[in-house]
Amino acid sequence: MMETQSHSTQPSSDPERKILIVDDEPGIVKLLVETLQQEGYSCFGCESGQEALRLIRAHGFDVVLCDVHMPGMSGLDLLRLVREKHSRVAFVMVTGEGDIRVGVQAMKEGADDYLLKPLNLEAVMISIKQVLERKKFADELDNYRLHLEEMIEQRTAQLRKAIGRIEQTYDETLQALAAALDLRDNETAGHSRRVMEYSLEIARVMGCKNEQLNALTRGALLHDIGKIGIPDDILRKPGPLTVQERAVMRMHVWRGYGLLNHLAFLADAAEIVLTHHEQFDGTGYPQGLIGVDIPLGARIFAVADTLDALTSDRPYRRATTFAAAREEIIRESGKQFDPAVVSAFLAIGEGTWAELRSRKGIVRALGIEREKFMLPIQFDAALRSLEASV
Ligand SMILES: [Fe+2]
């Protein structure tokens, strides 16, 4: 191998560019190496394909200029091996006098250019410059693509983060709203949070997916949002409601649905809000839906709602025990409640329900991404803040 770094007094080419000359005729190698060095290239030479492969592996080259006819490994053999392992190296094939077909074959197999013998040094320089230009452009394109991919990854990560923040803000807003609703209805302080916890526990046992859990979280929190439109003298009436008042009260499911269903992120929750008073046997309202025509979230919510209602104190009665609430839920299986949901409810131990009632159970109950389910703690903070302000 003959190799000399370029020290031309007037380099006309990029000295970082490395060229390898491969030819079994030492005189040609010497002539080309010296000529290219004078032009300012870092030029190396060798006399066989095997040696060329070793040099390419060891040093890396921008251009290989190779004679096609060599003993042992031919120029075409070398070209194929270079294309397999070193695809970014530009390759110029040198063929015999008038042997254009070999040149064309070399181009088909991945050569960037070909030259005919006897070599014209000016043609060699032009060819080298052209393939280097194309290689430079291809390298820049690769770098740009790489940069673009990195940029897209970064932007995607930023976008995900922003969406996460927006979703968190949505949920915090919903929790504050639910806390406000509970405060307006004196009987149900903390009710929305608890039914959300209970519903999610049952849903987890039933194998619900994250999307269903999200809809259930929001639907349970906002199930009675339609009561915003119910006058205080009906909503807070201490005695039994008249038929007319009951009809007004029942409108809260439609009002709630109307408030939420046009918001894309609450569309599924709106279905739960509309159907949360339906009963499995078709005796509920507003549509008298039967069985699985009632959305699963609403069937789950119904059990959770009854559990919390029975085990919470009311101004007119004390809370029942968990055992009594459990018996009541079993009695209503197939009537008010979906038996499959009741089975899931029964599969959960009393200790879990007690734990869910307290703050300790909040994260465990949700069973999906922990961050999202730190929210009920913020819910309590929102509740305390609202309580302090009234
Ligand atoms: Fe309701």
Side-chain angles (χ1 to χ4, degrees), residues 202-217:
I202 296 169
R204 189 185 62 77
V205 170
M206 295 185 81
C208 290
K209 304 274 188 300
N210 275 10
E211 275 181 16
Q212 292 172 299
L213 295 179
N214 279 338
L216 191 51
T217 301

Side-chain angles (χ1 to χ4, degrees), residues 333-380:
S333 179
K335 299 176 206 164
Q336 187 180 350
F337 305 127
D338 178 354
V341 177
V342 174
S343 291
F345 162 74
L346 294 174
I348 301 162
E350 184 176 352
T352 301
W353 295 113
E355 192 183 325
L356 288 175
R357 216 177 157 78
S358 70
R359 190 177 293 179
K360 278 188 296 182
I362 288 167
V363 173
R364 199 199 61 78
L366 301 168
I368 46 180
E369 301 155 41
R370 181 187 173 91
E371 273 176 67
K372 285 202 166 191
F373 295 103
M374 293 309 288
L375 293 175
I377 292 170
Q378 291 155 356
F379 172 96
D380 278 358

Side-chain angles (χ1 to χ4, degrees), residues 223-225 227 249 252-253 273 276-277 285 301 305:
H223 64 280
D224 271 345
I225 190 172
K227 285 186 177 174
M249 183 66 110
H252 80 278
V253 294
V273 170
H276 76 273
H277 283 291
Y285 71 92
F301 171 84
D305 190 39

Side-chain angles (χ1 to χ4, degrees), residues 68 76 79 93 95 98-116:
V68 72
L76 282 172
L79 170 63
M93 188 68 82
T95 71
D99 201 355
I100 293 174
R101 280 180 308 172
V102 175
V104 172
Q105 179 62 29
M107 295 290 280
K108 280 185 185 168
E109 298 205 23
D112 295 272
D113 198 5
Y114 71 91
L115 295 166
L116 299 177

Side-chain angles (χ1 to χ4, degrees), residues 61-76:
F61 283 91
D62 297 294
V63 183
V64 172
L65 191 145
C66 177
D67 185 21
V68 72
H69 298 297
M70 294 186 294
M73 187 185 293
S74 74
L76 282 172

